[in-house]
Amino acid sequence: MKRRMLLVAVFTVFSYAVMAQTFTVATYNMRNDNNKEDAAHGNGWKQRLPVIASMIRFHGFDIFGTQECMHHQLENLKDSLPGYAYIGIGRDDGKQAGEYSAIFYNTKKFQLLENGDFWMSEVTDRPNKGWDAVLPRICSWGKFKEIKSGFTFYLFNLHMDHVGVKARAESAKLVMDKVRKMAGDIPTILTGDFNVDQRSESYTLINTSGLLRDAYETTAIRYAENGTFNAFNPNSKTDSRIDHIFLTKQFNVEKYGILTDTYRGPAVSDKEAEKVNAADFPKEVSLNKYVAREPSDHFPVMIVVSLK
């Protein structure tokens, strides 16, 4: 009898340990690599890539949605993140042309069960622009299983139009309809650059739907000293959050953060590169004037989740 009770206790503790598994989810608009002006101003993709990859590794992103990356950027990032894979297609031709809304995941933690893509438009199965959008907009999704626990969930990742007000509202409705029909009662996460902040119509459509809630509102611990867009200006400040992570009710959000990490990049002029007087520092210290830079013109949003 005692042995049986011990086995039950051990099984209960083991089951709880498995179910209490946490993982880190993020969304990150990494800025496309088709703007020569970025490189001219010290914000080129080749300079930013190693910083972005290091940030992802350091903060331990387990699964994350990306926005704006072209195919070569995704391949660069994959090469910089051993053990990660990604899903998604280019929005311009359904293959490799144009920006992606790709999803990266740690292959040691997650198994990909299914995946697909749809355009945010009246016509969802091929490249096109919907409503008043000025560009084609795509949503990529995956059904994943956490390898340790067997927990299964969906993750949808999107990038809404930056101009079309109707397109954003209709895209919000479309995505929620897709979640209901595809995922049903299966836990679901929606990440993306929504191009609207927390006061907008399309944000409210999602957050008050009864289906998905903003992790910002439900988290136990919040670190959000800024909004999510910075325009490559480390001195900028906003309270507008245009990059969001929404979740169904099966998740506990333990932590939420808008990561305002900066790095120091080479100055773009000889004058900026002049040595700085070390003043009261030890003589061994040599300070060069570099420029504070952002890894992207958006800040990544990161959350830690567990199951209820």
Side-chain angles (χ1 to χ4, degrees):
M1 182 68 178
K2 288 183 178 180
R3 183 181 178 186
R4 182 180 178 185
M5 291 177 64
L6 179 61
L7 288 172
V8 170
V10 170
F11 178 77
T12 301
V13 171
F14 175 76
S15 298
Y16 178 80
V18 170
M19 293 305 292
Q21 289 286 333
T22 63
F23 57 91
T24 301
V25 183
T27 185
Y28 200 177
N29 181 323
M30 297 182 183
R31 175 71 169 181
N32 60 49
D33 184 28
N34 62 9
N35 191 335
K36 293 181 179 179
E37 290 184 10
D38 287 350
H41 289 91
N43 297 312
W45 171 246
K46 290 182 180 179
Q47 181 173 313
R48 299 186 291 109
L49 169 63
V51 181
I52 289 173
S54 294
M55 182 193 301
I56 290 167
R57 289 195 301 267
F58 179 80
H59 289 291
F61 293 3
D62 292 314
I63 186 166
F64 58 98
T66 69
Q67 301 85 40
E68 285 203 13
C69 285
M70 317 293 279
H71 183 258
H72 72 277
Q73 290 178 276
L74 297 171
E75 289 295 309
N76 293 159
L77 190 59
K78 181 184 175 184
D79 291 343
S80 301
L81 296 174
Y84 285 77
Y86 73 87
I87 56 173
I89 55 177
R91 70 187 186 188
D92 289 357
D93 67 353
K95 297 177 182 177
Q96 295 183 1
E99 297 177 6
Y100 286 56
S101 292
I103 300 168
F104 274 80
Y105 62 99
N106 185 335
T107 57
K108 294 180 180 178
K109 294 199 74 166
F110 302 107
Q111 177 186 351
L112 177 65
L113 302 179
E114 300 175 36
N115 70 284
D117 316 86
F118 59 88
W119 278 261
M120 292 184 289
S121 169
E122 299 94 328
V123 180
T124 62
D125 62 350
R126 59 183 181 271
N128 70 106
K129 293 181 286 187
W131 304 287
D132 57 349
V134 298
L135 294 168
R137 296 293 178 174
I138 196 169
C139 178
S140 293
W141 60 269
K143 184 179 181 182
F144 298 91
K145 181 173 76 173
E146 189 184 32
I147 294 170
K148 264 189 181 178
S149 66
F151 169 63
T152 300
F153 66 99
Y154 278 86
L155 193 148
F156 291 74
N157 179 55
L158 57 77
H159 188 184
M160 286 189 181
D161 200 67
H162 63 302
V163 175
V165 175
K166 182 177 181 181
R168 290 193 292 261
E170 293 300 325
S171 294
K173 296 173 188 176
L174 173 65
V175 170
M176 286 190 292
D177 185 58
K178 291 283 188 181
V179 170
R180 289 189 180 97
K181 290 178 178 177
M182 293 171 57
D185 294 330
I186 298 174
T188 299
I189 302 168
L190 170 62
T191 62
D193 174 0
F194 291 75
N195 268 315
V196 292
D197 71 9
Q198 60 273 24
R199 292 172 283 266
S200 76
E201 176 190 4
S202 52
Y203 171 92
T204 302
L205 281 169
I206 298 172
N207 197 45
T208 62
S209 65
L211 176 65
L212 296 157
R213 286 288 306 281
D214 186 354
Y216 177 93
E217 296 188 351
T218 63
T219 187
I221 299 172
R222 181 186 301 135
Y223 172 64
E225 298 301 312
N226 206 331
T228 65
F229 184 70
N230 61 62
F232 282 128
N233 182 358
N235 297 313
S236 63
K237 172 72 176 177
T238 179
D239 68 347
S240 291
R241 294 178 283 108
I242 64 173
D243 303 87
H244 307 289
I245 302 177
F246 297 94
L247 308 98
T248 53
K249 61 185 179 183
Q250 296 97 328
F251 292 98
N252 277 319
V253 183
E254 299 188 0
K255 295 180 181 181
Y256 172 103
I258 297 173
L259 306 182
T260 56
D261 302 43
T262 64
Y263 70 104
R264 299 301 176 267
V268 295
S269 70
D270 292 338
K271 186 176 181 180
E272 288 181 331
E274 292 175 358
K275 285 191 175 181
V276 178
N277 187 346
D280 295 331
F281 292 95
K283 63 181 181 179
E284 291 82 5
V285 176
S286 177
L287 298 178
N288 290 302
K289 185 164 179 70
Y290 272 53
V291 178
R293 300 194 184 280
E294 304 291 0
S296 176
D297 59 350
H298 289 242
F299 294 121
V301 178
M302 184 195 94
I303 64 173
V304 177
V305 299
S306 62
L307 295 183
K308 289 186 177 179

